[in-house]
Amino acid sequence: MGSYAPTGHAVRGKIRGLLLALTIGTLGAATALAAPPPAAHAAESTLGAAAAQSGRYFGTAIASGKLGDSTYTSIAGREFNMVTAENEMKIDATEPQRGQFNFSSADRVYNWAVQNGKRVRGHTLAWHSQQPGWMQSLSGSSLRQAMIDHINGVMAHYKGKIVQWDVVNEAFADGSSGARRDSNLQRSGNDWIEVAFRTARAADPSAKLCYNDYNVENWNWAKTQAMYSMVRDFKQRGVPIDCVGFQAHFNSGSPYDSNFRTTLQNFAALGVDVAVTELDIQGAPASTYANVTKDCLAVERCLGITVWGVRDSDSWRSEQTPLLFNNSGGKKAAYTAVLDALNGGGTTTPPTDGGQIKGVGSGRCLDVPSASTTDGTQLQLWDCHSNSNQQWAYTDAGELRVYGDKCLDAAGTGNGAKVQIYGCWGGDNQKWRLNSDGSVVGVQSGLCLDAVGAGTANGTQIQLYSCTNGSNQRWTRT
């Protein structure tokens, strides 16, 4: 969280048995689809406990100066299971003079959190804003060394104690350029972010290392795409980045869009965790709060959600009444909506078990050739076996997943379109209807999963085709 006004895993618990149960009498008979009921669990009465049911957290930002307010600490102690220091771990607070660290306020927040059974996120190590005057006066190699020394000093103090660190904060420019922000850190060299992450990994190998930014929730925005390109590059080159934080300061200038879930899914598909790190929503509409919560629950690698403050009066945007509790500490409608979503959260986690899908006409199974994990690999028929490239799980989102993170994906919407595997991202071309006649129909295209040319041999490719009820378009669970 900055001074700007935006413009623009514990094991997953309570997993549902969502897999397809396909039963047939004789070959070619009508196939019945049945899904077992979800595992039941008691509804929890607080945000943190409800989030924990799915292995996630629900946290808040804590200000040390408000820890003497009994209403504030009562709500925070009861409701949340993760804490982020609002300003106390930032650069100006922890190193007011070069080489002279002061952790008094930061430790007050940390100690309150752990004494009340909460984990702590660290925020933030390298940022263009809230730098002390001595750092603002530096440039080039001197600034670079100061950044490295600061990361080492702060992380050494909290080594082994902080679950996630926002290593770098807000490094991309607003607007449509997709460029890096023109800051003193950026002018020290384009590799400054990479250096920060490598320094942080060496300083505390046990902490998750996150990049954190705002106005990056909408998948279509240039800033989002620029951040995505950086994370993809880092993962490809082995730069130690573990997670991406989406601040989610939603307001009239930067509104929530339903493609936020797509954004989370696409980043998760790169092999990083994701988190909602500074959530506040102008006017606190219950439906939007519920949607953001459900977006996190729908993405297996979403670690959790942090709201940026406890009551509206504690918010940096208090005039927008953006939080879950009013000035007096009363629960708002948005609180109930979030709690309800969290209490249903166990049903949205993709299942981990799987099974084979066999063609009625061929007696052979839906197979990823050579057990490939490469995006774009076309599916085929092959003799059924128990290997992972034939284990398909049907999720609550309507996906058919293999290997846990690859989806059955239609490469087009017309007859003959290739059916392939691709990293799961939530598009309608990755969603399927499983029908009682044994057909599997693409949600986007309305076409059927089809063995090319009504083939039955090993290696017969899989495509989309107009539904005919032929045996090459009907499938059973083995």
Side-chain angles (χ1 to χ4, degrees), residues 365-419:
C365 281
L366 196 63
D367 178 280
V368 184
S370 303
S372 173
T373 59
T374 302
D375 286 347
T377 301
Q378 186 168 9
L379 277 294
Q380 64 178 6
L381 294 178
W382 200 262
D383 292 333
C384 298
H385 52 70
S386 61
N387 295 341
S388 62
N389 63 319
Q390 291 188 358
Q391 302 299 310
W392 298 92
Y394 189 62
T395 77
D396 213 19
E399 303 160 330
L400 280 164
R401 290 195 175 207
V402 66
Y403 310 131
D405 61 353
K406 296 292 184 181
C407 275
L408 190 71
D409 177 288
T413 57
N415 281 340
K418 180 171 72 168
V419 174

Side-chain angles (χ1 to χ4, degrees), residues 3 9 18 46-47 63 65 131 136 146 158 177 185 192-193 213 220 251 257 284 327 358 364 368 388 401:
S3 56
H9 281 252
L18 294 173
T46 66
L47 300 171
Q131 294 178 3
Q136 294 176 37
Y158 290 109
S177 70
L185 290 166
W192 74 274
I193 301 176
D213 217 324
N220 298 319
N251 58 40
D257 189 284
N327 292 350
K358 182 187 288 186
R364 291 191 164 92
V368 184
S388 62
R401 290 195 175 207

